[in-house]
Amino acid sequence: MTAELVRGQNHPLPQARCEIRISAGQPVVAGATLGDEQGTVRGVERVAHPGSHQLPGLEVSRQAAADHRLAVDLGALPEDVHRVNVLLALPSAAGFPARFGAVAAPFVAVTGLDGTEVATFTLTGLDAESAVVALELYRRGDAWKVRAVGQGYAGGLAEMLADQGLPQARELAATIQEAVGRGLARSVAAPPPRTSDGDRARRTPPAARQGAAPSDAVRHEADGVEPTAPAAGPQPAPGAPSAPVPPERPAAPQGLPSRPGGPVDYSHPRRKPAARPTPPPAAPPTQPPAPTPSNQPNQPPRPVAGDASGWSMEERLYNQVWGMFEDLARSAAAYRSAVDFAESRMEQELDKVLSDPRSRIGSTGDLARESARTKRDALVEQARAVLDRDMAQLVAESEVVEPALPPSFARWNSPAWHAYRVPMEIPMALRIGDLHLPERPDLHIPLLVRLPLERGLWIDAGRTGCEAAMMMDTDELRRLSMDTAVAHAARLLGAYPAGEFTVHVIDPAGSATAALAPLVKSGVLDAPPAAGAQGVATVLAKLTERVDLVQMAVRAGASDALPPHLDTAEQLLIVNDFPHGFDDRAVTQLRYLADEGPSVGVHLMMVADREDASAYGPVLDPLWRSLLRLTPVPDAHLADPWVGHAWTYEPLLAPPAGQVLWNVLSQVAQARRALGR
């Protein structure tokens, strides 16, 4: 029975390994500290946080998120650790709440490995605090207990860590917030929360569709216990995000029919099978029928494109793609967690053998080592089998979803683009590339970003930190970066109705003339690319004025008072060769557009090498962090919003020998001319 704790109340923990699930409604930082008998944290090496997410017996999330799961193995903690404090803090980055009183009350649950809740605690009564100790796990003799704490600190992480006796509290707090900022900069934004009407109809993650997740199966088998189907997690309040689903083991979100141990039903929620005539009775066969795909056991129905909730087919496909993205992230996390557990268990068994001098040499030691490695291999093989099953389901789903995607969701080689017509409405999202993981490189997930764009794009033309880019010539890499930018701009122009999207280009030295030819020759630009310092200043002044005017009109509630000459269409500014041609004033204006522009329809697409702007130092760090970094070549740098895997991003370039890009741009230009633009 679950214990619902209040501040100060404690409850015994029935087992050494447990998970701590956190649901906060807004992205929060989750961490933990290891203290001695007095609760003192002896050094920064006893603090688990996004910049150092693993300690012996403890693992926390690597980035700020609304949902977290912390893995705890109390038996693996150092012997001098008597207290584990679970910490929550708000990110200090711009755009995030500054106090817990402005967000929903965080919910924390301590669960077993099978998802069974042991104790829960809702942190109510917080106001000006920006950091809080949520729970304390503490040792009492040979047993462990959990205590609901809920102690908040208005001084944030620094004050909270100092209260636990950490001498370097302020420095560590700054390090944690810096790591959080880096994580947010590389993380793909999660889709906006959906109500129950918009939840994905088939949102049971693959690893949970046909039984326990890999990590559960591995851990239970290692303990000699049969794995069980995951239990339902906590049910959040209406309007709150769904219960947190952790990296180690996917669990079915709320609102789904219970299907323990069974495959997901891929049938369309509104599609009814046609009635079949009842066949006449037949004599019993002398031999059993051969198994077919329809009568083989444990064979899920074939997937269906659009098999997710939504008001339109476009919304259903959007939700389905994001569901596949999350399924793959959590299945891979479960597999990696299972492998880590198998390796950890082997190391513990080997340490136990080597601790006895009599077994270090001779046949006894060799047999013990071989036994430990055999157990490890068996557990890893079992986890891989479950992962392969999940991947096969996702591959089958991808094969039916990909051909059904509309142009804005599809690749360039899709028939949807070859039959392109200028749309009458703005689509929900735009595909800007593909993502995949090393566990299954051929399974590509479309990277969809919502429209209008919520943050700008940075096409990284540098060679630092990207293996594929380091193998390329600098000039070739810059050309490919600009080709990528033009392809993205063409997709944006093709996604919007005629006259509702305007593209500006700054090319100070004219080095991108060849790459910009499709935009210039097709006539989709309002003006030629701006060159020189004067051209840079003119374009930036025009867009800065637009942002100021629209902001003032919105604040005053007088949108009809905008000047008649003001272009109210969404604006995209492509900047090549930054910071060439930019003085200090132009740099300040560019930062202003990056910060304030997206809220009023002005977006940036930077094509730049960060090393070229190194002379500005940390002044430009907020600019780079505000943009979503993309690369012109495949590179593993983007993170998912659930477990923080490093995903390999592959850009979408138009086929070099095809005419699809020119066809799209020519139709957009023709539609603009018909409107007199």
Side-chain angles (χ1 to χ4, degrees):
M1 182 176 179
T2 303
E4 297 181 3
L5 305 181
V6 297
R7 273 188 179 85
Q9 188 177 2
N10 60 51
H11 188 76
L13 294 175
Q15 53 191 18
R17 289 200 303 277
C18 61
E19 294 168 341
I20 299 173
R21 305 180 182 185
I22 300 166
S23 180
Q26 292 282 343
V28 298
V29 183
T33 59
L34 305 181
D36 57 20
E37 288 182 284
Q38 289 72 40
T40 302
V41 181
R42 297 182 178 179
V44 295
E45 68 279 359
R46 292 295 180 95
V47 182
H49 56 84
S52 178
H53 70 284
Q54 282 187 323
L55 295 179
L58 183 64
E59 182 176 359
V60 303
S61 303
R62 287 177 284 187
Q63 62 188 47
D67 299 332
H68 293 271
R69 177 176 289 180
L70 281 59
V72 181
D73 186 352
L74 300 172
L77 294 174
E79 293 184 0
D80 59 344
V81 172
H82 289 259
R83 299 187 186 183
V84 179
N85 286 316
V86 178
L87 318 175
L88 302 179
L90 294 172
S92 61
F96 290 92
R99 59 189 185 90
F100 273 106
V103 302
F107 175 84
V108 184
V110 181
T111 74
L113 296 180
D114 61 353
T116 303
E117 289 182 357
V118 177
T120 64
F121 176 43
T122 302
L123 286 77
T124 58
L126 298 176
D127 187 11
E129 299 88 346
S130 59
V132 60
V133 178
L135 296 176
E136 180 186 54
L137 311 182
Y138 62 98
R139 194 195 301 262
R140 279 293 180 267
D142 295 333
W144 284 83
K145 292 186 175 183
V146 57
R147 177 185 290 121
V149 180
Q151 174 64 52
Y153 296 84
L157 272 172
E159 181 182 354
M160 179 171 59
L161 295 172
D163 191 45
Q164 297 184 30
L166 186 66
Q168 310 93 332
R170 190 170 299 279
E171 293 81 0
L172 180 59
T175 300
I176 293 174
Q177 293 291 1
E178 183 180 353
V180 171
R182 292 196 301 268
L184 291 171
R186 73 185 188 94
S187 177
V188 178
R194 298 188 294 273
T195 62
S196 58
D197 288 338
D199 287 340
R200 192 181 184 207
R202 40 105 31 225
R203 283 293 313 118
T204 306
R209 290 176 187 165
Q210 296 185 12
S215 56
D216 290 337
V218 168
R219 287 168 173 156
H220 283 299
E221 180 169 302
D223 295 335
V225 179
E226 287 296 323
T228 58
Q235 300 296 319
S242 57
V245 185
E248 286 78 11
R249 180 185 55 79
Q254 68 174 66
L256 293 179
S258 176
R259 301 180 59 86
V264 66
D265 183 2
Y266 276 102
S267 61
H268 195 281
R270 297 186 181 88
R271 185 172 296 153
K272 297 181 180 179
R276 296 181 179 179
T278 303
T286 57
Q287 296 292 335
T292 63
S294 60
N295 64 17
Q296 284 181 348
N298 298 325
Q299 288 293 326
R302 292 183 179 180
V304 176
D307 195 2
S309 294
W311 293 106
S312 65
M313 186 61 174
E314 180 190 42
E315 184 178 1
R316 293 199 295 270
L317 287 168
Y318 174 82
N319 292 338
Q320 188 172 15
V321 167
W322 270 95
M324 294 165 57
F325 188 9
E326 184 177 357
D327 286 352
L328 181 54
R330 296 198 187 283
S331 292
Y335 168 72
R336 295 178 185 182
S337 176
V339 172
D340 289 343
F341 174 78
E343 294 285 351
S344 174
R345 193 170 186 85
M346 182 189 70
E347 292 174 2
Q348 291 179 11
E349 293 182 2
L350 292 177
D351 289 343
K352 187 180 298 184
V353 171
L354 296 176
S355 64
D356 185 356
R358 293 171 298 180
S359 61
R360 292 178 185 172
I361 58 176
S363 60
T364 303
D366 293 339
L367 289 175
R369 294 184 187 93
E370 183 64 26
S371 174
R373 295 189 180 98
T374 301
K375 290 180 182 178
R376 185 272 315 272
D377 294 342
L379 297 177
V380 171
E381 184 179 355
Q382 179 189 359
R384 184 71 208 193
V386 178
L387 177 68
D388 290 342
R389 180 198 65 197
D390 295 344
M391 295 293 185
Q393 292 182 7
L394 287 171
V395 168
E397 188 171 9
S398 176
E399 289 174 351
V400 298
V401 168
E402 188 70 47
L405 296 177
S408 61
F409 294 7
R411 297 190 180 103
W412 280 115
N413 59 0
S414 168
W417 279 110
H418 289 275
Y420 171 80
R421 294 294 181 268
V422 178
M424 301 298 293
E425 296 180 349
I426 301 174
M428 285 185 61
L430 183 76
R431 186 174 185 165
I432 59 173
D434 287 345
L435 298 173
H436 64 81
L437 290 174
E439 284 80 2
R440 190 67 187 261
D442 61 323
L443 176 55
H444 287 210
I445 302 296
L447 176 55
L448 303 179
V449 295
R450 290 296 291 259
L451 294 179
L453 294 174
E454 297 173 350
R455 64 190 293 196
L457 304 177
W458 165 29
I459 314 300
D460 190 354
R463 303 172 65 186
T464 305
C466 179
E467 294 184 8
M470 294 177 66
M471 304 299 293
M472 297 181 64
D473 177 73
T474 301
D475 293 337
E476 175 66 15
L477 182 61
R478 291 181 182 272
R479 183 197 63 77
L480 188 59
S481 299
M482 202 61 207
D483 287 342
T484 304
V486 170
H488 287 316
R491 292 179 72 88
L492 283 164
L493 284 164
Y496 276 78
E500 295 191 21
F501 196 83
T502 302
V503 176
H504 309 268
V505 179
I506 290 179
D507 185 21
S511 59
T513 301
L516 291 170
L519 298 179
V520 175
K521 294 181 179 180
S522 64
V524 295
L525 299 179
D526 276 0
Q534 184 58 43
V536 171
T538 300
V539 173
L540 291 177
K542 177 181 178 181
L543 292 178
T544 302
E545 180 188 25
R546 184 192 184 280
V547 171
D548 291 338
L549 290 174
V550 175
Q551 283 186 337
M552 287 189 293
V554 170
R555 293 191 188 109
S559 57
D560 56 346
L562 290 170
H565 68 275
L566 188 74
D567 185 2
T568 57
E570 295 281 316
Q571 310 285 310
L572 175 68
L573 173 60
I574 302 176
V575 179
N576 184 41
D577 273 352
F578 177 80
H580 182 77
F582 283 73
D583 55 20
D584 290 345
R585 176 180 173 81
V587 170
T588 302
Q589 288 177 317
L590 194 67
R591 287 188 54 187
Y592 176 73
L593 293 178
D595 293 338
E596 304 294 335
S599 63
V600 290
V602 177
H603 313 283
L604 280 184
M605 185 185 294
M606 301 278 291
V607 183
D609 180 359
R610 189 169 181 173
E611 291 298 319
D612 292 344
S614 59
Y616 288 93
V619 173
L620 290 180
D621 285 352
L623 172 64
W624 303 117
R625 284 198 295 264
S626 69
L627 305 174
L628 178 61
R629 176 176 173 256
L630 305 177
T631 53
V633 292
D635 183 47
H637 69 278
L638 289 179
D640 64 81
W642 303 286
V643 295
H645 290 317
W647 293 72
T648 297
Y649 167 80
E650 292 197 5
L652 293 180
L653 292 173
Q659 295 294 317
V660 59
L661 187 142
W662 284 95
N663 175 54
V664 170
L665 293 177
S666 62
Q667 289 199 43
V668 171
Q670 183 178 358
R672 286 169 57 87
R673 287 192 295 269
L675 293 175
R677 306 206 43 163

